[in-house]
Amino acid sequence: MHDVPFWLWIVFVVIVVVSLAIDLFAHRSAHVIDFREAAAWSAGWIGLAIVFGGVVFLVVGTDAGVEYTTAWLLEKSLSVDNLFVFALIFSYFQVPRAYQHRVLFLGVLGALVFRGLFLAAGVAVVSRFTAVLYVFAAILFWSTYKILKGEEESFDPGKSIAVRLLRKVVPVRDEYAGPHFFVKEAGKRVATPLLAVVAAIEAADLVFAVDSVPAVLAVSSDVFIVYTSNAFAILGLRALYFMLAGLLDRFHYLSVGLALILGFIGVKLVLQATHETVSTAVPEIPSLVSLAVIVVVLAVSITVSVLRPPAEQDKNT
């Protein structure tokens, strides 16, 4: 655990609240977000995360700064899978493009809350039962196997538990009503499909947390490091989606890169658990090495995707 001053927590909370308020004000009117606007916002979120990382380096120390950077980059890379699911959900519910940002904004708020709860619980469990790291490693190895074998679990938005529960709690109409989540019909309050989309987004994040939480806990067991890195990665997820929405299929080797990263983090967890529970003679993988591996794997997978486009795309070109 790192010695994090309380005022740094306050600074983090203020940054998040102010940033979300600015984002909400800038998108108060529903409109289609084009590539240029999305790129500008994405650069802003990334810049904010890097600046905060610099503060962590200066205030908490080099080790904490490296852990924060590694955890942020890891979460940022794993969140690419979320982008594919966002596209699937929007396509399934035929969400008008002008309302997609509003949905993702609420999705981010929910993700910040749920990730905080999961990460706090994970840190508490790991601090008391180090052997649970073997379980986390097994989860990551299983995810690696499924990705490499092309057996990733498909996400059906219409059958997600959250959407089914919503339909049992409140009637959901078939037509959208602008950016509204509820409308009155025959004197009764009914939900619009937009609320079902939010429920599907939240359900998807819970699914991805199964991989994300164990992976980031392999980088650090400090609540401040794991949560702030996750939060900044999640905050920039909307802008990244709108920027890459039409380019996702081009990065077809990225899934392989993510599988290799998950496998590597799984090995790191096994070594860490063995070091702490069996023998201190067992070496651990330093965070700086983890950061280097993640950067190299991502760079190679993206480069190969660009140089070797999918067969169908290459034929069309």
Side-chain angles (χ1 to χ4, degrees), residues 170-173 181-192:
V170 60
V172 180
R173 58 179 286 176
F181 293 104
F182 291 97
V183 294
K184 281 191 175 181
E185 290 185 349
K188 294 183 179 180
R189 191 178 180 85
V190 299
T192 69

Side-chain angles (χ1 to χ4, degrees), residues 85-97 99-108 155-158 160 162-164 166-167 172-176 178-181 191-205 241-242:
V85 174
F86 291 165
L88 173 64
I89 292 173
F90 289 150
S91 175
Y92 179 89
F93 287 100
Q94 298 181 346
V95 183
R97 292 182 60 193
Y99 308 143
Q100 291 178 2
H101 181 276
R102 181 178 176 87
V103 170
L104 291 181
F105 184 88
L106 293 179
V108 164
F155 180 80
D156 188 339
S160 68
V163 174
R164 284 184 290 173
L166 175 65
R167 295 184 183 278
V172 180
R173 58 179 286 176
D174 295 329
E175 299 82 17
Y176 288 94
H180 303 293
F181 293 104
T192 69
L194 213 56
L195 188 62
V197 177
V198 174
I201 293 288
E202 297 295 355
D205 183 71
Y241 169 77
F242 291 113

Side-chain angles (χ1 to χ4, degrees), residues 228-258:
T228 54
S229 58
N230 259 249
F232 279 112
I234 292 171
L235 286 171
L237 198 56
R238 289 157 300 151
L240 188 63
Y241 169 77
F242 291 113
M243 189 175 71
L244 300 180
L247 305 175
L248 292 175
D249 291 338
R250 297 187 182 184
F251 302 116
H252 53 293
Y253 284 110
L254 191 56
S255 61
V256 177
L258 295 180

